[in-house]
Amino acid sequence: MKKYIITKLSKEFIELLRKTEVIQDYFSYYSAIVNWVKQNKKYFNENTLKNNRLDVLLNLDPKIYIIDNPEIILSMEAERLEKIKYDKADTLAMIIGNDLWDMVTISSGKDCPVCKYNELRYIVAQTEKERKLVLECETCGWCEYVNGDKWSGNMIRCIPASKIDLKEFGII
C-alpha cells in the first residue's frame, strides 16, 4: 500500500513540474510546489516536514524570499527529478525541501571550512534570547557567526535570510 502511495505521489509531483504555468518563473514554481505539499500534507509526518525544513519553507512569502537567480533550470526539473527513485515519502520530502531551500537561500561567497568547496549560506537563527545572522553549510551542517567564529548557540528555529534581513544585519 505504501509503495503505491509514494509511486502515485511522485508521479503527481513530476506531472506538476511539467505544467507550463508552473515553470514560467521561480515564483510560480515555488508557489505550486508549496501548494502541492500543503494539499498532500497528510502523507508527510511532522518529523519529515521538520527534518527537511518544509515546516519553514511552506510558510515563507516567496515574494520576499526567492533569490534573484536560483541555480535551477525550471524547464529541466521534471526530467531531473523523474530519474530519482522515490521509495519513501521522506525521499520525496527531502528532494522538495532541497529544491525549495536552494531557491530562497543567499550564498555568502565564503567556502565552508569543513567541506572546503561548498559555499556557506545566510540563515537567521533564533534562540530563546536572540536573533542572529549565521552562515550555514548545506552539505555538512557547519554553522558559524558572520565573523567566522563557530556557532555556539542552540537554534530553536532557523529560516533563510532574506535581502531585508541582510540589510538589517548590515551585510548589504
Side-chain angles (χ1 to χ4, degrees):
M1 183 67 156
K2 283 185 178 183
K3 186 172 174 75
Y4 169 77
I5 291 171
I6 190 58
T7 300
K8 183 178 181 285
L9 273 177
S10 60
K11 284 182 180 178
E12 283 178 12
F13 180 67
I14 299 302
E15 286 173 20
L16 172 73
L17 302 185
R18 293 191 192 289
K19 294 181 178 178
T20 307
E21 65 272 15
V22 169
I23 59 172
Q24 69 184 352
D25 57 45
Y26 293 113
F27 178 82
S28 299
Y29 183 79
Y30 189 96
S31 299
I33 292 173
V34 164
N35 289 333
W36 183 86
V37 172
K38 286 179 178 179
Q39 290 170 2
N40 292 285
K41 207 170 181 178
K42 66 183 174 191
Y43 299 110
F44 303 101
N45 68 45
E46 237 178 276
N47 282 338
T48 297
L49 294 173
K50 186 175 181 178
N51 291 341
N52 294 290
R53 296 186 175 172
L54 288 168
D55 59 332
V56 171
L57 293 164
L58 296 179
N59 295 303
L60 294 179
D61 181 346
K63 293 176 188 167
I64 295 172
Y65 283 93
I66 291 178
I67 61 175
D68 292 336
N69 193 16
E71 293 180 1
I72 295 174
I73 302 170
L74 297 178
S75 62
M76 297 177 72
E77 278 300 278
E79 184 180 328
R80 180 181 76 85
L81 297 177
E82 188 173 44
K83 294 176 185 175
I84 297 169
K85 183 181 181 219
Y86 300 98
D87 53 350
K88 299 184 286 189
D90 290 355
T91 305
L92 182 57
M94 179 187 69
I95 297 301
I96 292 169
N98 288 345
D99 225 19
L100 295 179
W101 193 253
D102 286 344
M103 295 179 66
V104 297
T105 50
I106 300 170
S107 295
S108 69
K110 181 179 180 183
D111 288 336
C112 175
V114 177
C115 297
K116 304 293 182 212
Y117 301 106
N118 292 315
E119 218 172 313
L120 298 174
R121 300 176 184 198
Y122 291 106
I123 63 169
V124 175
Q126 296 172 315
T127 66
E128 289 180 5
K129 299 177 184 178
E130 62 186 348
R131 185 174 177 268
K132 290 276 191 183
L133 188 65
V134 177
L135 299 174
E136 177 191 56
C137 178
E138 73 169 304
T139 302
C140 73
W142 168 264
C143 289
E144 65 182 47
Y145 292 100
V146 178
N147 69 4
D149 292 342
K150 183 178 178 181
W151 171 255
S152 59
N154 291 325
M155 287 184 241
I156 291 178
R157 183 169 183 245
C158 76
I159 60 171
S162 67
K163 287 181 184 179
I164 296 166
D165 295 319
L166 295 183
K167 284 179 186 173
E168 178 185 326
F169 285 102
I171 301 298
I172 57 174

